[in-house]
Amino acid sequence: LKSALFEIFLSVFLFFLSKFLQNNQINTMVSPPDTSKTSRLERYHSYIRRMNSTKLLAASSKLLFRTTLLVALVLIFFFTLNYHPHPDNPHHHLHTSHNLLSSAFYGSGAAWEKQVRRSATPHRPHGFSVLVTGAAGFVGTHCSLALKKRGDGVLGLDNFNSYYDPSLKRARQNVLQKHEIFVVDGDINDAELLTKLFDIVPFSHVLHMAAQAGVRYAMENPQSYVSSNIAGFVNLLEVSKNADPQPAIVWASSSSVYGLNTKVPFSESHRTDQPASLYAATKKAGEEIAHTYNHIYGLSLTGLRFFTVYGPWGRPDMAYFFFTRDILQGKPIDIYKTQEDKEVARDFTYIDDVVKGCLGALDTAQKSTGSGGRKRAPAQLRVYNLGNTSPVSVGNLVGILESLLNVKAQKHVVRMPRNGDVPFTHANVNLAFKDFGYKPTTDLATGLRKFVKWYVRYYGIQSGVNKEIGNSTQHLGASA
């Protein structure tokens, strides 16, 4: 695109230069002295013709220049609007730039604002008006549907970055659209856009699910975690603190904050100052930042520490997801063991249980107490574990998938590398149960069965899969 535009502007420049030299040559041509009346008259008419020609050339040049400039701007806008990173390089241009398509373009029209208002308007008495960031993500999509289903107003926000296949996010967006949930294509770091959304809608709540996920990718692209999980969170809090009214905020922390903690099951009272990965460190930083904004500005903030969430429409970077893909494709899979030859285990939590926890946190969130960026009274500050309370080894996970897929996995047992992963997670959810009745009910075998039903349907896979699974369907939101 840059090369094409350069060629266009170079051509225009050379055109004007040639005409300029031609004009100078014409204007500097001097006829031989001739005092006769006929010669003077001819020179006069020649001068008039040259003047008219010069004026016509100048007018044509201006018209050509303006036309060329307009075409160039249209090309820039078109290619920027339709640019998508190549799927073979999933981490290229991870955070999409919105500088050329600034928030002025997003909100440049009454129709766009009408969509925003309609989507965010609740349809039940005393319903919430919720801004869901990361709405096209895994948890964000399921929560948005559950909120809309019960009559709350939901407006989504997502930047559709390419950490994993954006087509999956667009497919989720299509499902949301069918349920009349509008997802704004924008970034949480865009303060102008966020401010505009808060000017249009007096949000009662924010469900902040947008984040750079994944423990291992932090070793490849640490800046993406700082940009999203810290800078993006601060930007959202800055806009929220100045909103009138201030919203109550529920946001996604992570079980990763427990890091090197060895006390089990993990409780909210345990140490979280020994993160094992940059991802964990940014989530812990988020909890401390939340404390600061609660203390100074009176924002009501609730952090939710998710424990390995899985299910239909899940993230392709999660083990259960790419294990399923590789087993079906006949590829070997790595089964990690600890440095002490112990099995790695996770507290796998089914998406429907997590959604119930998120809605419970929203329902019990108290109002923020600030106004115009000033704190009026102490505000609510909470953090909860949302897990399943039943750790399962990765080996058992693979065994369940083998049974569901009717395929024997090619297992490659290796020692866990020092990439920030922890060997064991186990949630204590007593506090969440006490405060809003959180109680997980889905065991791993049941949850994986529902995931595989969705997987084979979404990717059109039938052969080799358990017939009971392959002939079933799983629609997003059906059980949420």
Side-chain angles (χ1 to χ4, degrees):
L1 177 59
K2 290 181 180 178
S3 177
L5 293 176
F6 176 78
E7 291 179 6
I8 292 173
F9 287 119
L10 180 61
S11 300
V12 173
F13 174 78
L14 293 175
F15 173 83
F16 286 123
L17 180 61
S18 65
K19 293 303 179 183
F20 175 78
L21 294 175
Q22 182 181 351
N23 287 343
N24 280 352
Q25 184 179 8
I26 293 173
N27 292 331
T28 54
M29 290 176 59
V30 180
S31 301
D34 190 339
T35 57
S36 69
K37 183 176 180 180
T38 302
S39 297
R40 287 198 301 271
L41 186 60
E42 287 180 357
R43 288 200 301 272
Y44 174 75
H45 287 306
S46 177
Y47 170 76
I48 293 298
R49 286 194 297 271
R50 289 198 303 270
M51 289 296 294
N52 290 336
S53 177
T54 302
K55 289 179 181 179
L56 180 61
L57 178 63
S60 300
S61 299
K62 287 181 180 179
L63 179 61
L64 178 61
F65 174 76
R66 290 172 180 172
T67 303
T68 303
L69 183 60
L70 178 61
V71 170
L73 290 174
V74 170
L75 286 173
I76 291 173
F77 181 81
F78 176 80
F79 283 113
T80 304
L81 185 66
N82 290 277
Y83 172 75
H84 298 289
H86 196 281
D88 291 339
N89 190 4
H91 300 314
H92 180 62
H93 288 135
L94 180 58
H95 291 281
T96 305
S97 172
H98 292 276
N99 291 333
L100 290 175
L101 295 178
S102 67
S103 53
F105 284 101
Y106 292 120
S108 59
W112 183 85
E113 293 191 10
K114 185 178 180 180
Q115 274 187 299
V116 169
R117 289 194 184 94
R118 182 170 60 241
S119 185
T121 301
H123 296 284
R124 66 181 176 99
H126 311 293
F128 299 158
S129 180
V130 187
L131 173 64
V132 180
T133 69
F138 175 32
V139 180
T141 295
H142 282 272
C143 286
S144 295
L145 287 169
L147 288 167
K148 195 73 173 183
K149 183 178 180 180
R150 72 179 196 176
D152 292 320
V154 180
L155 178 70
L157 177 68
D158 205 294
N159 71 353
F160 297 92
N161 72 42
S162 54
Y163 169 65
Y164 61 81
D165 186 6
S167 69
L168 181 58
K169 300 176 186 180
R170 293 296 180 183
R172 297 188 193 119
Q173 181 189 25
N174 291 336
V175 176
L176 294 175
Q177 193 171 19
K178 290 176 182 177
H179 289 80
E180 299 183 338
I181 299 172
F182 180 46
V183 180
V184 175
D185 193 335
D187 197 287
I188 56 172
N189 283 289
D190 189 342
E192 185 181 355
L193 173 60
L194 280 178
T195 300
K196 187 173 187 65
L197 293 178
F198 274 87
D199 287 342
I200 296 172
V201 179
F203 295 107
S204 61
H205 295 75
V206 172
L207 183 60
H208 178 48
M209 298 287 108
Q212 176 56 58
V215 170
R216 302 172 194 174
Y217 183 57
M219 298 180 71
E220 300 177 36
N221 189 357
Q223 291 299 330
S224 65
Y225 291 78
V226 176
S227 174
S228 182
N229 301 357
I230 297 179
F233 189 33
V234 169
N235 190 57
L236 176 67
L237 294 176
E238 278 290 306
V239 175
S240 297
K241 84 176 188 189
N242 293 319
D244 188 16
Q246 289 180 337
I249 300 172
V250 175
W251 68 284
S253 185
S254 171
S255 61
S256 295
V257 300
Y258 290 107
L260 303 180
N261 172 59
T262 56
K263 296 174 65 176
V264 290
F266 298 163
S267 170
E268 293 87 348
S269 61
H270 289 173
R271 290 181 62 178
T272 54
D273 59 350
Q274 297 176 301
S277 66
L278 178 63
Y279 168 69
T282 60
K283 285 299 187 179
K284 177 58 180 176
E287 293 186 0
E288 301 305 320
I289 290 168
H291 178 275
T292 302
Y293 275 79
N294 168 268
H295 174 68
I296 298 177
Y297 302 110
L299 283 173
S300 171
L301 283 149
T302 302
L304 302 176
R305 294 172 178 170
F306 296 152
F307 282 71
T308 316
V309 187
Y310 73 100
W313 295 90
R315 282 174 26 212
D317 64 320
M318 300 289 285
Y320 73 94
F321 198 112
F322 61 75
F323 279 174
T324 300
R325 178 197 65 209
D326 291 346
I327 290 172
L328 286 172
Q329 294 177 359
K331 296 180 180 178
I333 59 175
D334 290 337
I335 306 295
Y336 287 144
K337 284 198 172 183
T338 68
Q339 299 297 323
E340 296 79 23
D341 283 330
K342 294 181 179 179
E343 285 195 292
V344 173
R346 292 285 183 270
D347 198 346
F348 295 98
T349 314
Y350 188 62
I351 182 62
D352 288 6
D353 291 327
V354 167
V355 169
K356 291 174 185 175
C358 290
L359 268 59
L362 285 168
D363 290 339
T364 55
Q366 297 174 4
K367 292 182 178 181
S368 293
T369 60
S371 177
R374 292 186 178 184
K375 181 179 179 179
R376 305 296 181 186
Q380 187 181 53
L381 179 67
R382 307 179 296 172
V383 63
Y384 296 101
N385 290 337
L386 292 186
N388 193 53
T389 74
S390 301
V392 177
S393 71
V394 175
N396 286 342
L397 164 71
V398 173
I400 296 172
L401 287 175
E402 287 177 320
S403 175
L404 293 171
L405 300 172
N406 198 27
V407 179
K408 191 69 175 177
Q410 300 178 40
K411 304 170 191 174
H412 183 213
V413 180
V414 296
R415 291 187 184 275
M416 178 181 287
R418 298 189 182 278
N419 56 15
D421 272 331
V422 294
F424 185 84
T425 62
H426 184 185
N428 178 330
V429 299
N430 290 340
L431 186 60
F433 175 75
K434 173 177 173 292
D435 286 359
F436 48 83
Y438 174 74
K439 187 177 181 180
T441 59
T442 309
D443 62 83
L444 184 59
T446 301
L448 285 178
R449 178 179 294 273
K450 293 180 179 181
F451 165 72
V452 171
K453 286 180 182 179
W454 167 81
Y455 187 95
V456 298
R457 179 176 182 269
Y458 181 78
Y459 290 103
I461 299 169
Q462 296 296 332
S463 60
V465 178
N466 186 310
K467 290 184 179 180
E468 181 184 349
I469 301 297
N471 294 331
S472 302
T473 59
Q474 174 72 23
H475 297 281
L476 177 58
S479 56

